[in-house]
Amino acid sequence: MKKLCSFVLAALLIGGGSTILTQASANNKKWHTNRVGIEHKKDLSPIDTKAPTIPGRIVGYDSRINSIVPADAKLEKLADGFLWVEGPVWNRNEKYLLFSDVKANKIYKWEPGKGISTYLSPSGYTGDTPFNGIEPGSNGLIFDSQGRLVMCQHGNRRVARLENRENNTQIALADRYDNKRLNSPNDLVYKSNGDLYFTDPPYGLPTQRHDDPEKELPFSGVYRLSPDGELTLLTDEIRSPNGIVFSPDEKILYVSDSTTKQSRWLVYDVAPDGTLQNGRTFADGWTWERNRQGNPDGIKVDRAGNVYAAAPEAVFIFAPDGTLLGSIETGVRTSNVAWGEDGHSLFITANTAIYRIRLTATGDGY
């Protein structure tokens, strides 16, 4: 990781705002919606990986954060009360957010002005017998070029495409490598040529361990699935590959490694044939994980190539050179992020809740 700049721009929580209750018709459960006010300060101080987090606080470590996060930024809690939320994705055609509740085996929908509803259940495990684990559901979600939902499924141990939502008809896109079942696909990203890249750690297996008795492959891989169905193992050297995203020019692939005591964000050069070269550490995660809950997880980038990484109790914002510019603190385990609405909204999944923050930066693809 590049040497970090030694000053901090702090934004402090100043109030809880109003609370709105919305009700999901699926299970009569209530979710809370809070607006969290932020007041930016101009004072700067050194990075402190041991400092406790404050939900809603925005911390800056480099003055470039001012061109990314506006002075009046507010972190909004859109919904709460889930089990473990992941995989947010914005539907640009129909204007709604989908996200996984991995433990509940459901995909939920959040729509502006309407709130929460169940979109798909079950979402990741469709077997007839009870699931022998704690995370059966879908994880990472993405829409393909035709607008179809593609899901990383923990319980079914595959990448699948939803064909018909009404009867939950699904097609497996990838479920085996070398005639062995995948571990539990976690997150995914499309390249502009239609290739689908995804990670495959063991977190959907019953024990979530690398030595789980049901694990058939001796490694956790990063794969590429071509439009014609060919599955290629790109690397097996990451112990716990998790979040994954391309740089805007697709010359770089970022992958998070959530292995305890060696967590980090990695970067690879993408060769002309789509394979990976020159893997190296982009940023360290363990120095933060030692004092906070969570680890490196989902990743996205903006048009300028800045990296937005789910991190211990926060979303970290890195420059393309690895400099940590700032963070958006959630105070809880933070799993993933997604751009949405007009490209200036960053949605955050963190523990049991969904958040949104409006940024000056524009998400890649907008």
Side-chain angles (χ1 to χ4, degrees):
M1 179 179 177
K2 304 290 185 182
K3 184 177 180 181
L4 298 179
C5 295
S6 59
F7 45 89
V8 174
L9 166 65
L12 300 178
L13 177 70
I14 61 171
S18 60
T19 299
I20 303 170
L21 297 182
T22 59
Q23 187 167 331
S25 58
N27 57 7
N28 202 34
K29 188 175 182 179
K30 291 183 179 180
W31 286 273
H32 300 271
T33 302
N34 297 325
R35 293 195 174 194
V36 181
I38 303 297
E39 178 182 340
H40 287 257
K41 284 190 172 183
K42 296 181 180 179
D43 55 306
L44 306 171
S45 57
I47 291 173
D48 183 2
T49 62
K50 296 181 180 180
T53 55
I54 299 175
R57 181 172 62 176
I58 300 170
V59 182
Y61 304 109
D62 186 290
S63 60
R64 285 173 285 179
I65 196 68
N66 294 323
S67 65
I68 294 173
V69 182
D72 60 349
K74 290 180 173 63
L75 183 66
E76 297 178 82
K77 182 185 286 186
L78 301 177
D80 201 349
F82 306 98
L83 299 179
W84 172 241
V85 288
E86 253 282 12
V89 64
W90 180 258
N91 186 309
R92 295 178 67 176
N93 293 326
E94 300 182 35
K95 315 298 183 187
Y96 60 76
L97 182 78
L98 296 182
F99 59 93
S100 300
D101 189 331
V102 188
K103 292 184 178 180
N105 200 16
K106 295 181 179 182
I107 293 174
Y108 287 101
K109 173 183 177 181
W110 176 82
E111 194 168 2
K114 296 182 179 180
I116 295 290
S117 60
T118 297
Y119 183 82
L120 188 69
S121 179
S123 66
Y125 179 65
T126 55
D128 296 325
T129 59
F131 181 73
N132 184 25
I134 62 172
E135 293 192 1
S138 58
N139 195 317
L141 307 174
I142 198 168
F143 290 104
D144 67 12
S145 60
Q146 298 182 45
R148 299 172 296 189
L149 183 64
V150 177
M151 308 167 284
C152 286
Q153 296 184 314
H154 275 195
N156 289 342
R157 299 173 66 173
R158 67 184 188 181
V159 177
R161 186 175 68 222
L162 183 62
E163 296 295 293
N164 187 317
R165 181 185 162 208
E166 297 303 319
N167 59 16
N168 204 350
T169 301
Q170 304 173 10
I171 291 180
L173 302 180
D175 58 4
R176 290 180 179 271
Y177 177 76
D178 196 24
N179 294 320
K180 296 180 176 64
R181 293 188 73 185
L182 297 174
N183 301 323
S184 57
N186 186 280
D187 209 351
L188 68 178
V189 63
Y190 271 107
K191 200 166 183 280
S192 59
N193 67 351
D195 287 345
L196 181 65
Y197 288 61
F198 67 91
T199 58
D200 187 40
Y203 299 138
L205 298 178
T207 67
Q208 299 186 313
R209 294 171 54 91
H210 295 275
D211 60 356
D212 190 285
E214 295 188 16
K215 193 173 188 290
E216 298 183 15
L217 291 165
F219 54 81
S220 296
V222 176
Y223 295 90
R224 177 187 62 190
L225 180 67
S226 67
D228 62 6
E230 180 183 359
L231 186 63
T232 302
L233 175 66
L234 298 174
T235 179
D236 61 3
E237 61 188 15
I238 308 174
R239 184 165 174 79
S240 306
N242 201 316
I244 185 169
V245 73
F246 285 104
S247 61
D249 62 7
E250 299 185 336
K251 294 181 179 180
I252 294 291
L253 183 73
Y254 298 96
V255 182
S256 61
D257 180 358
S258 52
T259 306
T260 300
K261 296 186 178 181
Q262 63 183 55
S263 63
R264 54 190 173 157
W265 291 272
L266 301 166
V267 62
Y268 290 85
D269 297 325
V270 181
D273 64 357
T275 57
L276 305 181
Q277 300 175 344
N278 191 26
R280 56 206 183 271
T281 296
F282 176 72
D284 173 65
W286 173 236
T287 54
W288 298 89
E289 186 183 339
R290 283 182 296 180
N291 302 292
R292 299 182 178 187
Q293 298 181 68
N295 42 44
D297 210 320
I299 327 170
K300 295 297 184 291
V301 296
D302 65 21
R303 278 186 188 174
N306 298 307
V307 178
Y308 299 71
E313 298 185 22
V315 173
F316 286 175
I317 303 174
F318 295 100
D321 64 3
T323 301
L324 181 58
L325 304 180
S327 67
I328 303 165
E329 295 185 347
T330 64
V332 295
R333 294 172 61 91
T334 304
S335 62
N336 217 324
V337 295
W339 295 105
E341 297 182 316
D342 60 355
H344 294 288
S345 292
L346 186 71
F347 292 92
I348 302 169
T349 50
N351 198 25
T352 63
I354 309 297
Y355 299 85
R356 175 179 61 184
I357 186 168
R358 296 282 294 169
L359 301 177
T360 305
T362 305
D364 184 38
Y366 285 83

